[in-house]
Amino acid sequence: MTSTVLLAALGAPLGMLALLAAVPIIILFLLKRKRRDQPVGSTLLWAKVLEDTLARQPFRRPSEWLSLLLLLLAVTAIALAAAKLRLGIGGDEGKSIVIVVDTSASMATRQGEELRFDLARDAALAAIDGLPEGGRISLIEAEQHPRTLVHGTDDSDAAAAAVRSLAPRPVAGDLATALELAVAEAASEATDGRAAEILVFSDVAVEAHLVAGMETRGIPITIVKCGEATPNAGIVEVALSGSTGTGWLLVRATAQGDIGERTLQLFRDDELVDARLLELGSGSDTAVFRLDVPEETRTLRYRVAIDPGDAFELDDIVWVGASRRPPPRVLLVGDENPFIDRLTAVFSGLVLERSAPAEVESVAESVERPFDLAIFTARPSGDVPALRELWVGCTPDDVSIEGELKVPALVDWQRNEPLLRDVGFENLVLIGGRKLRAPPGSRVLVRTTEGPQLILVGDSRRQRLLWASGPDQSNLFLLPAFPLLLRNLLDGGAGLNGHVHAAAAALSVPAGLDRLTGTVDLTIEAADGTARNAKLWSREELVWPGRPPLGFITATATDVEGQTVERPIGVSLLSPTETARAPLALDDLGRAGAPVAMQAVADWSADRPVWMWCVLAALLFLVAEGLLWARKA
Amino acid sequence: MLVEPEFQARLAALEFAIRRSLPSMSRGDRRAPLKKGVSLEFADFRNYVAGDDVRHLDWAGYARLDQLMIKLYHDEEDLQIHVLIDESRSMAYGEPSKATFARRVAAAIAYVGLVTRSRVSVVRLDGEEPAVLPLQRGSAAMAQVLDHLDRGETDSTTPIHESCRAYMARVRPRGAIVVVSDLLDPAGPGAVLRELSRAVTEVSVVQVMAPSELDPDLEGDLRLIDMETGHKVEVSLADAILQQYRKRARAFVADCAETSRRSGCAWALAKSDDDFEDFVLRVLVAEGVLR
């Protein structure tokens, strides 16, 4: 049988300093009792008067001490109230609580004078304070990749310190996974015979179904909702492109709640250069800014801001870095092809080089920087430094072309693939050809009835587009949209490169910044002064540790000859889920059948807030003392 | 000066009021209104009783009425007036002090006695050894009376009834006693009068109180110190307490008056800030101390 133990705790022990007020009260009381001496002819009559008074009111004499007692009780009650006295109920074996704190970006939304995260943090600390003796605490941070910070400790100070170390992160959170972690943690605590419960401190800006279907293993889960829905508008997508002299900046904003109109301001190097009106009544709007880029400009820093801002500030501003792109260089490896030659006419400034398959190594040695695009119509004898590759009728060593097409017919192509933007294959004719075996990790972009025809392999460092059939086995080169395919592969040609990075993603920067070759000294510096530096081969990448801070990160690469290239990278939130998703209402999870209890943080308490009763007691003592004084008067 | 010369002239018209006949050792100029004694002036008849002086039989009345009657004549006696003044410390209280007023009253009464050829003694009740000015006669003795009164120091801590007892045991006065005091004795006013009534005397009481003793103008939290005994009383002077005190003071004065009257004494109340001449000429006459 467990016995209940009444435990007292002070939430703010320094409040007990209010007891010092008792000192002047006692001094004044004693001074007041120090009466003025008054000689009189005789005290006979006075003594009789006091006898009569005492006979009629036997309790009057002690009233002075009673008055002092009431004042001291009031001071004590006020001190206990200031110290936030709490009483908790605990069991003999102690209890384990698993605390989940949401640190997703939306927790940085301002609610009155505080952030949602401040409410969550304070409530979590109160939960730790209210844990009875012998209790254990686990702490899980619900961020993009939820993690357990503290495993079942009875060191409440350490747990509290871990809570205080948390802060909202510019990423979308994964509350569902955090709850799974919490259930597992609580279940392991419960196997030790402890009572366990899970407390979640979050704004609950999640989809209810993600929580509704979770398995609780019988662990009671309480979600303490820290924050209410507030109208919010934020920028969720930015794209920049452009040719020499002119660029285009596309900005898409979305909203939750009643937003109406907002102004989108464009700053270049902190100077306001343009503005657009956003109509966010339908929930989303897009603005396009035309950028005039002077010839001599190499790098640009743009900042786009929603005006006026709102309670959630992280999504109101995006940073966009831009650098001038040199004329694209294309290497054609294989036989001459008149259709490829047309590229020079289509793309002004494009530099086209040719190489026989056996000569690519010498070409590779001679180039200072990678080709923007290498087109292979025959397999080369060696590796070619190129950012993107188009293989037509041939493949690199790690990809196989197999089989011959009998009667191929187009099935579909990936219309949403950026490399296929504006490229249609409606008029594609295959008169034979081969089919590709798509290796793991590749994506099929064009499929026929007999297998993949166009696949994409590789990553941002090197992308390879592989077309199975040879130039004479399809009309690929003759398609009206073929130049558009090449345009997509060349990022539109010379002009501007936009450098936009979502904070949630890991940041890695190619050492040569796609311009330099050989050994490069690369420095990456954030706006807060933190920096990373390394000497790398130009095609290697330097990874920023953790998540990059919001704002501009400047990458500076210098090769052995002293040639320096700079790249400003704008790091922004860019999270549609954090911007557009509102906190759930208190009964949303219940209606969705989620096996959790949810209450607002204002209504939640770790234990009995006795201090409020202390305030009431202090008032009662003061009223009683006032009545005594009035009687005495 | 305790009694101004101009006021002395007015006092000369007064005489000490005696309400009953007093035993005296010798005949004086003072006509006793009640006692029928031997003199040249017929006063009244009464029936003869065995032992009466037969020389005073009214033979003419016996011839007419066949009844033996004795003639009564006004007896002229020598009045002794003993003026007792309270010199305890409590008499020093007040603004002006009770002692100042009391001495003036004592001086006035003494003067009235002296100019009416009574014998006057003035006694300062200042403890176990009262200071006694022996009986004096004639207005020329007034200087001694004034000088004796001036030497009063209101320094006694002896309750007045004990001072009276000491005086009565020492002097055994005859005649009239006038005691001028505040009667603030722990044993009560009755104890004072009982001591003074041991002798066959006529006692008159002139009670002098300070105005603030009847209606205090004090306030706040005080420690009241008895000037006579040193006793301390702590009070917080709220209105209710002050009202109760005033009530108690009035009751005390009424008790003094009642006790005096029950004892057959004349009683007059004075406040130390009263008009002294008005008090003597009007109040003391109205209360039967003077006439």
Side-chain angles (χ1 to χ4, degrees), chain A residues 108-112 115 230-232 309-316:
Chain A
T109 303
R110 193 163 295 280
Q111 300 275 181
L115 302 179
T230 57
N232 178 58
D310 48 41
F312 184 32
E313 297 174 352
L314 294 183
D315 63 356
D316 294 339

Side-chain angles (χ1 to χ4, degrees), chain A residues 10 115 152 237 245 340 445 505:
Chain A
L10 297 176
L115 302 179
E237 185 178 353
I340 302 296
L445 302 185

Side-chain angles (χ1 to χ4, degrees), chain A residues 480-565:
Chain A
F482 181 71
L484 296 175
L485 176 61
L486 295 183
R487 178 208 64 182
N488 294 342
L489 289 170
L490 293 172
D491 288 329
L496 285 180
N497 265 339
H499 308 297
V500 176
H501 184 82
L507 176 66
S508 62
V509 180
L513 297 181
D514 302 324
R515 296 279 301 278
L516 303 179
T517 58
T519 302
V520 174
D521 192 354
L522 176 67
T523 300
I524 308 175
E525 186 173 0
D528 61 0
T530 54
R532 289 274 290 179
N533 175 264
K535 201 180 286 290
L536 300 169
W537 178 248
S538 62
R539 299 185 74 169
E540 291 181 296
E541 289 186 341
L542 181 59
V543 179
W544 183 271
R547 290 189 191 85
L550 299 183
F552 282 113
I553 282 185
T554 303
T556 309
T558 306
D559 65 10
V560 294
E561 294 177 0
Q563 187 178 3
T564 300
V565 175

